[in-house]
Amino acid sequence: MSTPTGASRANGIVIAVLREQVPGEQRVSSVPEVVQKLTKSGFEVRVEQGAGEGAFYPDDLFAAAGAKIVRGRAGLLDGATIVLCVQPPAPVDVGMLVEGTIIIGFMNPTGNLQAVTLMRDRKVTAFALELVPRITRAQGMDALSSQATAGGYAAAILGAGHCPKFLPMLTTAAGTIRPATVLILGAGVAGLMAIATAKRLGALVEAYDVRRAAGEQVRSLGAKFLELEINAEAAGGYARELTPEEKVKEQEMVSAAVARADIVITTAAIPGRRAPVLITRETVARMRPGAVIVDLAAETGGNCELTRSGQTVTEHGVTIMGPQNLPARVAFHASQMYARNLQSFLSLLVGKDGALTREFTDEILASCLLVHDGVVRHKPTDDLLCGGKP
Ligand code: NAD
């Protein structure tokens, strides 16, 4: 990292790694490999006791990397300069932060208004990693992408684990087994990882995305791209919402592809909106019994009409899974990637001279600055908080 080298630099900066509290959250915001680099750079790193347990990073590995293991939040946060987390902080934790403390992690800004208000009132500085701009310079800090990669991988494994078929073609003494067909709807970061994983497992893979540019990437992974005469690429490389006519065309093509698939993994999302419905209940009825749908968009409404977030349901013999927090299923590597993203982010906050910047003018820092100095800096969140006020 480009953070200072030598213990005399990064002087007096205390980094605290929280033990995640949200049920089912197995990840941790730093790992021993990264802690070692931070302590070598002169940071004091504190890790809450048991913080890495869920991701299989025991306390003794953190201690060997130079961290101080602290029991309890109060001791951990007392005097901390920078707090690292995965999930947005709970109001009770924000209540323990003193003015000027910097907290970095996923913040779910518009869905976590109580904590945002409290951070504003306590003059805490919060950086929301989901707001890191998707520019080349910020790739190393793009936690949305690293965690989507983990989620896409986990989705393919989950689908394979629930499919009553082999994925690869097999030539055996008992005859030839045809490969399974896996369909990926939405070929963004998670979708591409799901494609790559299903290909490695030997399946025939098809994929569809409204952004035509995704076709090139899908084909480069050896999968078939389903073409529709629509290009719905909008600003920033994200998808726009389709018109009603476009939606009808899309439904017809998607429905036929879903009906012939053994596993369907859906990842379609439009920033700030409910996930588009791509698989209707009628389409599910056309699927073969034993087929599996893994709906990665479950938490934002689901790409399948029959998805229940956090549940697995069976309809017409089709298993429909709406998993929550898939990256936590591969917590070891998801945490490692997340920790490296944070390490990279910290190198923007602390200059080569070891001084912590308080001028957040850098494009990346400015974009993900959620709260600072008693002001909510993220306009959509501020608009929500001020809703109704003139
Ligand atoms: P996302 O999670 O917002 O959406 C997932 C995918 O769903 C997207 O590919 C989107 O096009 C697709 N989708 C939306 N509506 C659909 C529909 N009706 N039918 C089928 N597919 C639909 O996306 P993401 O994975 O976060 O990536 C979004 C874009 O950002 C991509 O172009 C990606 O390459 C780009 N990106 C750039 C960088 C960078 O430059 N640093 C980093 C990460 C991602």
Side-chain angles (χ1 to χ4, degrees):
M1 65 186 293
S2 63
T3 35
T5 52
S8 60
R9 312 173 73 187
N11 228 329
I13 298 177
V14 178
I15 297 177
V17 176
L18 291 184
R19 179 182 179 142
E20 298 297 317
Q21 301 288 329
V22 170
E25 184 52 84
Q26 305 292 313
R27 293 170 293 174
V28 60
S29 53
S30 201
V31 299
E33 160 207 313
V34 170
V35 166
Q36 189 168 31
K37 288 181 181 144
L38 294 173
T39 52
K40 272 197 178 149
S41 300
F43 293 99
E44 180 186 328
V45 182
R46 296 178 190 164
V47 175
E48 190 171 355
Q49 192 177 51
E53 251 169 34
F56 298 93
Y57 295 102
D59 287 342
D60 54 355
L61 284 188
F62 278 112
K68 189 173 162 198
I69 308 299
V70 182
R71 194 172 175 179
R73 283 277 152 105
L76 180 86
L77 297 175
D78 183 29
T81 323
I82 300 174
V83 178
L84 306 181
C85 57
V86 179
Q87 294 284 345
V92 62
D93 294 324
V94 178
M96 290 188 216
L97 303 179
V98 296
E99 182 175 335
T101 310
I102 296 173
I103 182 161
I104 313 168
F106 286 128
M107 295 286 154
N108 183 16
T110 53
N112 200 19
L113 295 179
Q114 197 192 349
V116 172
T117 311
L118 206 53
M119 289 193 285
R120 179 195 65 194
D121 296 346
R122 295 187 71 81
K123 294 199 170 168
V124 164
T125 297
F127 287 100
L129 287 182
E130 51 273 80
L131 301 178
V132 168
R134 285 178 144 179
I135 55 173
T136 307
R137 188 167 61 91
Q139 275 180 0
M141 323 167 190
D142 187 350
L144 268 189
S145 286
S146 73
Q147 302 309 294
T149 299
Y153 171 85
I157 298 296
L158 196 62
H162 284 79
C163 178
K165 294 187 175 181
F166 292 123
L167 265 63
M169 187 181 96
L170 296 182
T171 310
T172 77
T176 301
I177 306 286
R178 287 167 53 81
T181 301
V182 178
L183 172 68
I184 316 289
L185 299 177
V189 180
L192 290 171
M193 187 60 187
I195 293 170
T197 307
K199 279 298 292 179
R200 287 175 188 137
L201 290 172
L204 286 177
V205 184
E206 298 186 335
Y208 164 66
D209 196 293
V210 273
R211 291 179 301 108
R212 207 169 284 159
E216 184 83 9
Q217 292 164 311
V218 168
R219 282 187 284 266
S220 75
L221 290 170
K224 180 178 171 191
F225 187 65
L226 302 176
E227 298 274 2
L228 194 66
E229 293 306 303
I230 292 174
N231 185 16
E233 180 147 353
Y238 288 100
R240 65 166 168 81
E241 197 159 19
L242 299 184
T243 65
E245 297 75 35
E246 287 174 334
K247 280 185 185 164
V248 172
K249 279 192 189 166
E250 179 183 65
Q251 279 294 339
E252 285 168 6
M253 186 191 74
V254 167
S255 178
V258 169
R260 62 177 179 259
D262 296 300
I263 300 173
V264 183
I265 296 167
T266 69
T267 75
I270 302 161
R273 292 191 170 251
R274 188 205 181 283
V277 172
L278 300 175
I279 307 177
T280 60
R281 59 178 66 239
E282 292 77 21
T283 303
V284 173
R286 288 179 62 191
M287 294 177 78
R288 284 194 283 254
V292 182
I293 297 173
V294 183
D295 193 341
L296 247 81
E299 285 168 275
T300 52
N303 291 143
C304 172
E305 235 173 27
L306 299 176
T307 298
R308 298 280 165 272
S309 184
Q311 294 180 32
T312 296
V313 295
T314 306
E315 298 278 353
H316 308 287
V318 176
T319 304
I320 304 164
M321 314 183 79
Q324 291 172 343
N325 198 355
L326 269 177
R329 289 181 187 240
V330 277
F332 184 91
H333 280 135
S335 300
Q336 189 179 48
M337 293 168 91
Y338 187 84
R340 289 174 182 170
N341 293 146
L342 279 177
Q343 179 193 345
S344 182
F345 191 88
L346 285 171
S347 70
L348 281 184
L349 270 182
V350 181
K352 289 208 167 74
D353 57 353
L356 184 65
T357 179
R358 291 280 177 185
E359 298 294 319
F360 307 126
T361 46
D362 178 279
E363 182 191 357
I364 300 170
L365 294 180
S367 301
C368 49
L369 186 60
L370 173 61
V371 185
H372 180 56
D373 213 9
V375 178
V376 176
R377 301 291 190 98
H378 182 234
K379 189 160 182 320
T381 307
D382 195 40
D383 287 349
L384 266 181
L385 282 169
C386 302
K389 286 189 197 162

